[in-house]
Amino acid sequence: MKIAVIQSKLYWELPDNNFEQFEQKLAGIEPGTHLVLLPEMFTTGFSMSPASLAERHPGRTVEWMKSMARKHGFALAGSYIAETGGKYFNRMVFAYPNGTIETYDKRHLFRMANEDAHYTSGTQRVIVTHEGWRILLAVCYDLRFPVWLRNRNDYDLMILVANFPERRRYAWNSLLVARAIENQVYVAACNRVGTDGNQINHTGDSQIIDPMGQIIAQAKPNTEEVIYASIDKDYLHSVRSSFPVHLDADSFEIKL
């Protein structure tokens, strides 16, 4: 399966501008691509103003993602500010080429930016299937919580969308590799670049990592670009069969 990751700046709280720029970027995606990742809150940036920016789900962003997926023939994933039942969610959407969607609400809300004061935490771990791959959905701060992301022999690829800042760049790069190695999965991570409305800079460092922790595609820091990698199911199975650490994994349950 061929994956594309779009590392981009975001226009702060300006959905129209972001829709326009991503329409242009999606039009240039290489033929044969099966899955494209957009950053976290790709229509607004990582904003703590959901009362003025949220869309009642399913709204404009969902319809736009469905339209883009159908038009170009690939799956599309990213998160946006959603409102459901009077509550706000940092909601990741996985739009299939046939126009259907699945969603994941960010579990771990970033309290250091007061995300937990504005948004409601998700309670469901979500795995989707596309092109024969089992794909775990994750958003930004989730990266720091290995129990939530632990492979229970139920997924092959983790996709993570983020607004991870430059000041924690070392953690970003280290934890992505760790999650790939410990779970014996591919990891594809999309991070934004540029300075947001709070004057926080983001270097990007978007990347795709194989189940041995080797980076097979990486975006240049502070640069808008699209990176690509093809992931290999046979290689994944060979890694797991030759070094079957999952057979010795500890059992556990998460209490919500």
Side-chain angles (χ1 to χ4, degrees):
M1 181 169 69
K2 185 176 180 179
I3 302 172
V5 176
I6 300 180
Q7 179 168 286
S8 177
K9 67 181 183 300
L10 298 177
Y11 293 96
W12 184 249
E13 299 182 347
L14 294 173
D16 288 345
N17 298 60
N18 288 309
F19 284 127
E20 181 180 359
Q21 72 155 338
F22 284 116
E23 281 198 29
Q24 295 174 4
K25 294 175 190 295
L26 291 172
I29 292 296
E30 293 179 0
T33 300
H34 302 99
L35 172 60
V36 179
L37 304 188
L38 303 175
E40 176 186 22
M41 290 192 185
F42 72 90
T43 64
T44 58
F46 188 59
S47 173
M48 296 301 107
S49 301
S52 59
L53 294 171
E55 302 171 27
R56 184 170 296 176
H57 183 86
R60 180 186 181 190
T61 296
V62 170
E63 292 306 314
W64 179 87
M65 292 181 71
K66 289 165 62 175
S67 173
M68 290 296 103
R70 280 193 300 260
K71 178 179 180 179
H72 297 293
F74 46 62
L76 184 61
S79 87
Y80 82 108
I81 301 173
E83 184 267 315
T84 299
K87 296 180 179 179
Y88 303 119
F89 298 89
N90 185 343
R91 180 163 292 164
M92 187 173 180
V93 176
F94 190 98
Y96 292 94
N98 66 4
T100 62
I101 66 163
E102 296 194 55
T103 63
Y104 162 70
D105 292 331
K106 185 179 181 181
R107 168 65 181 163
H108 299 93
L109 302 178
F110 191 56
R111 68 175 62 250
M112 283 67 82
N114 293 320
E115 187 180 14
D116 59 322
H118 297 280
Y119 295 87
T120 298
S121 177
T123 59
Q124 299 296 318
R125 186 170 172 272
V126 177
I127 295 170
V128 304
T129 302
H130 181 54
E131 296 291 329
W133 289 81
R134 301 172 301 170
I135 304 170
L136 179 73
L137 308 186
V139 180
C140 203
Y141 192 42
D142 285 333
L143 180 62
R144 289 182 176 269
F145 299 90
V147 175
W148 183 250
L149 302 177
R150 184 65 174 170
N151 188 4
R152 307 169 198 175
N153 301 320
D154 57 359
Y155 76 94
D156 310 306
L157 164 67
M158 178 194 306
I159 58 174
L160 182 87
V161 300
N163 274 221
F164 220 93
E166 178 182 21
R167 67 185 69 164
R168 286 181 288 279
R169 184 183 184 195
Y170 181 80
W172 166 261
N173 289 313
S174 301
L175 293 172
L176 286 172
V177 171
R179 297 296 87 87
I181 293 171
E182 70 194 6
N183 293 300
Q184 292 188 314
V185 296
Y186 284 95
V187 173
C190 180
N191 194 25
R192 66 159 294 172
V193 292
T195 303
D196 68 15
N198 296 311
Q199 302 307 304
I200 296 172
N201 192 54
H202 305 74
T203 50
D205 299 297
S206 299
Q207 53 200 274
I208 303 169
I209 306 166
D210 78 11
M212 291 294 287
Q214 298 297 315
I215 298 171
I216 56 177
Q218 186 169 27
K220 295 183 287 292
N222 298 304
T223 303
E224 290 192 282
E225 66 172 312
V226 182
I227 60 171
Y228 297 88
S230 292
I231 61 177
D232 186 334
K233 186 72 71 66
D234 289 337
Y235 177 68
L236 175 68
H237 289 160
S238 71
V239 167
R240 291 175 175 174
S241 62
S242 64
F243 199 69
V245 295
H246 63 279
L247 298 179
D248 300 309
D250 301 307
S251 61
F252 65 94
E253 63 180 48
I254 297 175
K255 295 182 178 180
L256 299 174

